[in-house]
Amino acid sequence: MRKFRLALGLAFLLCTGGNPNLVASGHSGQKYLLGLSPNSTYGEIAARLAGGLIMVQARLNGQAGNYILDTGASHLFINQDLVDQQTIQAYGIGNQVSVQSGLVAHFEIGTVSFSNQSVYKMDMRHLEALKGCRIAGIIGTELLKNFTLFVDYKNGIVRLTPADQSAISASKHVLRTYAFKMQGHFPMLSVLVNDVEYDFALDTGAEANIFAEKFEKELSAQTKDLRAGRVGGIANSATQVRNFTLTEMECLGLNYQTMGFMFSDLAAFNNAYAVELDGILGYPFLRRYPFTIDFSEKKLILWQDSNRNFPKS
């Protein structure tokens, strides 16, 4: 077995204790998501939301399918049969699963085409059951380097655009612009809690926010509603976590109050990818403001929530 490590950042909460600030509802509302048409005027790619996850339409060897857009994943993972070449390991939060690698002749995201693309096959039936829709695969950051993503969770708007067709310009509606750095394939943000800085990965494939459990004691004064829960991910199993509400934190100079989190052991995850993540920011954080991620420029833009006239990229 080849010791090659891939990352899958997907985290689905299976038992939340009913806190709406903690996790996305997880319901897609449709069994098939391919009915959405892209806006060809702006080079947009068919996309929509399924709970707290971003689903885009892509084509594998000409066959259209629904793919989760996951900044916590490293590569392209598919839910289809490929020529088996070797078995390797993929790691997620609290989980490890065997996947098989292969090559496909063509993979297309809108007008962007990848030839002889490496892919990694895994069983996604449990993810389909959780989301209630067909999932053809997961697109990670390796394939997103030349795209711009806009998401407005509150209004259910998603735009994925090739970077050379997007046109982000200065606007009075910009709330914050931040040039993020990377740890491995993870876009990183700094979070302040009680004037202590923590390094968080920005993960569009996580339906919950996660804080490394080693910080539970030092955060005790800023936590409430602590309770047991479970989180599921890439393997068809659940990991025990401790859900809580963080009373206050600061990120990008903005104050966030009553933000849902969970404590989970990130040690194995960090060791697997030689990173030092203090936590993961997912849907409960990302839904607060409409945002744009420019992967080619490594730039995050937060937009004012009070005006819905956002740019087309």
Coordinates of all heavy atoms in Angstrom, one line a residue, residues 193-235:
V193 N -9.3 35.2 19.9 CA -10.2 34.9 21.0 C -9.5 35.4 22.3 O -8.4 34.8 22.6 CB -10.6 33.4 21.1 CG1 -11.5 33.2 22.3 CG2 -11.2 32.9 19.8
N194 N -10.1 36.4 22.9 CA -9.5 36.9 24.1 C -8.0 37.4 23.9 O -7.1 37.1 24.7 CB -9.6 35.9 25.3 CG -9.4 36.6 26.6 OD1 -9.6 37.8 26.8 ND2 -8.9 35.8 27.6
D195 N -7.8 38.0 22.7 CA -6.5 38.5 22.3 C -5.5 37.5 22.0 O -4.3 37.8 21.9 CB -6.0 39.5 23.4 CG -6.8 40.8 23.5 OD1 -7.3 41.2 22.4 OD2 -7.0 41.3 24.6
V196 N -5.9 36.2 21.9 CA -4.9 35.1 21.5 C -5.2 34.8 20.1 O -6.4 34.6 19.7 CB -5.1 33.9 22.4 CG1 -4.2 32.8 22.0 CG2 -4.8 34.3 23.9
E197 N -4.2 34.7 19.3 CA -4.4 34.4 17.8 C -4.3 32.9 17.5 O -3.4 32.2 18.1 CB -3.3 35.1 17.0 CG -3.4 35.0 15.5 CD -2.4 35.9 14.8 OE1 -1.7 36.7 15.4 OE2 -2.3 35.7 13.5
Y198 N -5.2 32.4 16.7 CA -5.3 31.0 16.3 C -5.3 31.0 14.8 O -5.9 31.8 14.1 CB -6.5 30.4 16.9 CG -6.6 30.4 18.4 CD1 -7.2 31.4 19.1 CD2 -6.0 29.4 19.1 CE1 -7.3 31.4 20.4 CE2 -6.1 29.4 20.5 CZ -6.7 30.4 21.2 OH -6.8 30.4 22.6
D199 N -4.7 29.9 14.2 CA -4.6 29.7 12.8 C -5.7 28.7 12.3 O -5.7 27.6 12.7 CB -3.2 29.2 12.4 CG -2.2 30.2 12.7 OD1 -2.4 31.4 12.5 OD2 -1.0 29.8 13.0
F200 N -6.6 29.2 11.5 CA -7.7 28.4 11.0 C -7.7 28.2 9.5 O -7.4 29.1 8.8 CB -9.1 29.1 11.4 CG -9.6 28.8 12.8 CD1 -8.9 29.3 13.9 CD2 -10.6 27.9 12.9 CE1 -9.4 29.0 15.1 CE2 -11.1 27.6 14.2 CZ -10.5 28.1 15.3
A201 N -8.1 27.0 9.1 CA -8.2 26.7 7.6 C -9.7 27.1 7.2 O -10.6 26.9 8.0 CB -8.0 25.3 7.4
L202 N -9.8 27.7 6.0 CA -11.1 28.1 5.5 C -11.6 26.9 4.6 O -10.9 26.6 3.6 CB -10.9 29.3 4.6 CG -12.2 30.0 4.2 CD1 -13.0 30.6 5.3 CD2 -11.8 31.1 3.2
D203 N -12.7 26.3 5.0 CA -13.1 25.0 4.4 C -14.6 25.1 3.9 O -15.5 25.0 4.8 CB -12.9 23.9 5.4 CG -13.1 22.5 4.8 OD1 -13.5 22.4 3.7 OD2 -12.9 21.5 5.5
T204 N -14.8 25.2 2.6 CA -16.1 25.2 2.1 C -16.8 23.8 2.1 O -18.0 23.7 1.9 CB -16.1 25.7 0.6 OG1 -15.3 24.8 -0.2 CG2 -15.6 27.1 0.5
G205 N -16.0 22.8 2.5 CA -16.6 21.4 2.6 C -16.9 21.0 4.0 O -17.3 19.9 4.2
A206 N -16.8 22.0 4.9 CA -17.1 21.7 6.3 C -18.5 22.3 6.7 O -18.6 23.5 6.5 CB -16.0 22.1 7.2
E207 N -19.4 21.6 7.2 CA -20.7 22.1 7.6 C -20.7 22.5 9.1 O -21.7 22.9 9.6 CB -21.8 21.1 7.3 CG -22.0 20.8 5.8 CD -23.3 20.1 5.5 OE1 -23.3 18.9 5.7 OE2 -24.2 20.9 5.1
A208 N -19.5 22.5 9.7 CA -19.4 22.9 11.1 C -18.0 23.6 11.2 O -17.1 23.4 10.5 CB -19.5 21.7 12.0
N209 N -17.9 24.5 12.2 CA -16.6 25.0 12.7 C -16.0 24.1 13.7 O -16.7 23.6 14.5 CB -16.8 26.4 13.3 CG -17.4 27.4 12.4 OD1 -17.1 27.4 11.2 ND2 -18.2 28.4 12.9
I210 N -14.7 24.0 13.6 CA -14.0 23.1 14.5 C -12.8 23.8 15.2 O -12.1 24.5 14.5 CB -13.5 21.8 13.7 CG1 -14.6 21.1 13.1 CG2 -12.6 20.9 14.6 CD1 -14.2 19.9 12.2
F211 N -12.7 23.6 16.5 CA -11.6 24.1 17.3 C -10.8 22.8 17.8 O -11.4 21.9 18.3 CB -12.0 24.9 18.5 CG -11.3 26.2 18.6 CD1 -12.0 27.4 18.6 CD2 -9.9 26.3 18.8 CE1 -11.4 28.6 18.8 CE2 -9.3 27.5 19.0 CZ -10.0 28.7 18.9
A212 N -9.5 22.8 17.7 CA -8.7 21.7 18.2 C -9.0 21.5 19.7 O -9.0 22.5 20.5 CB -7.2 21.9 18.0
E213 N -9.3 20.3 20.1 CA -9.7 20.0 21.5 C -8.6 20.4 22.5 O -9.0 20.6 23.7 CB -10.1 18.6 21.7 CG -8.9 17.6 21.5 CD -9.4 16.1 21.7 OE1 -10.6 15.9 21.6 OE2 -8.5 15.3 21.8
K214 N -7.4 20.5 22.1 CA -6.3 20.9 23.1 C -6.5 22.3 23.6 O -5.9 22.6 24.7 CB -4.9 20.8 22.4 CG -4.7 21.8 21.3 CD -3.3 21.6 20.7 CE -3.0 22.6 19.6 NZ -1.6 22.4 19.0
F215 N -7.4 23.1 23.0 CA -7.6 24.5 23.5 C -8.9 24.6 24.4 O -9.2 25.7 24.8 CB -7.8 25.4 22.3 CG -6.6 25.5 21.4 CD1 -6.6 25.1 20.1 CD2 -5.4 26.0 21.9 CE1 -5.5 25.2 19.3 CE2 -4.2 26.1 21.1 CZ -4.3 25.7 19.8
E216 N -9.5 23.4 24.7 CA -10.8 23.5 25.4 C -10.6 24.2 26.8 O -11.4 25.0 27.2 CB -11.3 22.1 25.6 CG -12.7 22.1 26.3 CD -13.3 20.7 26.4 OE1 -12.9 19.8 25.6 OE2 -14.3 20.6 27.1
K217 N -9.5 23.9 27.5 CA -9.4 24.5 28.8 C -9.1 26.0 28.7 O -9.7 26.7 29.5 CB -8.2 23.8 29.5 CG -8.0 24.3 31.0 CD -6.9 23.5 31.7 CE -6.7 23.9 33.1 NZ -5.7 23.2 33.8
E218 N -8.3 26.4 27.8 CA -7.9 27.8 27.8 C -9.1 28.7 27.2 O -9.1 29.9 27.4 CB -6.7 28.1 27.0 CG -6.7 27.8 25.5 CD -5.4 28.1 24.8 OE1 -4.4 27.3 25.1 OE2 -5.3 29.0 24.0
L219 N -10.0 28.0 26.5 CA -11.2 28.8 26.0 C -12.4 28.7 26.9 O -13.5 29.2 26.5 CB -11.5 28.2 24.6 CG -10.6 28.4 23.5 CD1 -11.0 27.7 22.2 CD2 -10.4 29.9 23.2
S220 N -12.3 28.1 28.1 CA -13.4 27.8 28.9 C -14.2 29.1 29.3 O -15.4 29.1 29.4 CB -13.0 27.1 30.2 OG -12.0 27.9 30.9
A221 N -13.5 30.2 29.4 CA -14.2 31.5 29.8 C -15.1 32.0 28.6 O -16.0 32.8 28.8 CB -13.2 32.5 30.2
Q222 N -14.8 31.6 27.4 CA -15.5 32.1 26.2 C -16.4 31.0 25.6 O -17.0 31.2 24.5 CB -14.5 32.5 25.1 CG -13.7 33.8 25.4 CD -12.6 33.6 26.4 OE1 -11.9 32.6 26.4 NE2 -12.5 34.6 27.3
T223 N -16.7 29.9 26.3 CA -17.6 28.9 25.8 C -18.8 28.7 26.6 O -18.7 29.0 27.8 CB -16.8 27.5 25.7 OG1 -16.4 27.1 27.0 CG2 -15.6 27.6 24.8
K224 N -19.9 28.3 26.0 CA -21.1 27.9 26.7 C -21.8 26.8 26.0 O -21.5 26.5 24.8 CB -22.0 29.2 26.9 CG -22.5 29.7 25.6 CD -23.4 30.9 25.9 CE -24.1 31.5 24.6 NZ -25.0 32.6 24.9
D225 N -22.8 26.3 26.6 CA -23.6 25.2 26.0 C -22.8 24.0 25.5 O -23.0 23.4 24.5 CB -24.4 25.8 24.8 CG -25.3 27.0 25.1 OD1 -25.8 27.0 26.2 OD2 -25.5 27.8 24.3
L226 N -21.8 23.7 26.3 CA -20.9 22.5 26.0 C -21.7 21.2 26.1 O -22.4 21.0 27.1 CB -19.7 22.5 26.9 CG -18.6 21.6 26.6 CD1 -17.9 22.0 25.3 CD2 -17.5 21.6 27.7
R227 N -21.7 20.4 25.1 CA -22.4 19.1 25.1 C -21.8 18.2 24.1 O -21.1 18.6 23.2 CB -23.9 19.4 24.7 CG -24.1 20.0 23.3 CD -25.3 20.8 23.2 NE -25.5 21.4 21.9 CZ -24.9 22.5 21.5 NH1 -24.0 23.1 22.3 NH2 -25.1 23.0 20.3
A228 N -22.1 16.9 24.3 CA -21.6 15.8 23.4 C -22.3 15.8 22.1 O -23.5 16.1 22.0 CB -21.7 14.5 24.1
G229 N -21.5 15.4 21.0 CA -22.1 15.3 19.7 C -21.3 14.3 18.9 O -20.3 13.7 19.4
R230 N -21.7 14.1 17.6 CA -20.9 13.3 16.7 C -20.8 14.0 15.4 O -21.6 14.8 15.0 CB -21.7 11.9 16.5 CG -21.8 11.0 17.7 CD -22.5 9.7 17.3 NE -23.8 10.0 16.7 CZ -24.4 9.2 15.9 NH1 -23.7 8.1 15.4 NH2 -25.6 9.4 15.4
V231 N -19.7 13.7 14.7 CA -19.4 14.3 13.4 C -19.0 13.1 12.5 O -18.3 12.2 12.8 CB -18.4 15.4 13.4 CG1 -17.0 14.8 13.8 CG2 -18.3 16.1 12.1
G232 N -19.6 13.2 11.3 CA -19.3 12.2 10.2 C -18.5 12.8 9.1 O -18.6 14.1 8.9
G233 N -17.7 12.1 8.4 CA -16.9 12.7 7.3 C -16.7 11.7 6.2 O -17.7 11.1 5.7
I234 N -15.5 11.5 5.7 CA -15.2 10.7 4.5 C -15.5 9.2 4.7 O -15.8 8.6 3.7 CB -13.8 11.0 4.0 CG1 -12.8 10.6 5.1 CG2 -13.6 12.4 3.6 CD1 -11.4 10.6 4.6
A235 N -15.3 8.7 5.9 CA -15.6 7.3 6.1 C -17.0 7.2 6.7 O -17.6 8.1 7.2 CB -14.6 6.8 7.2

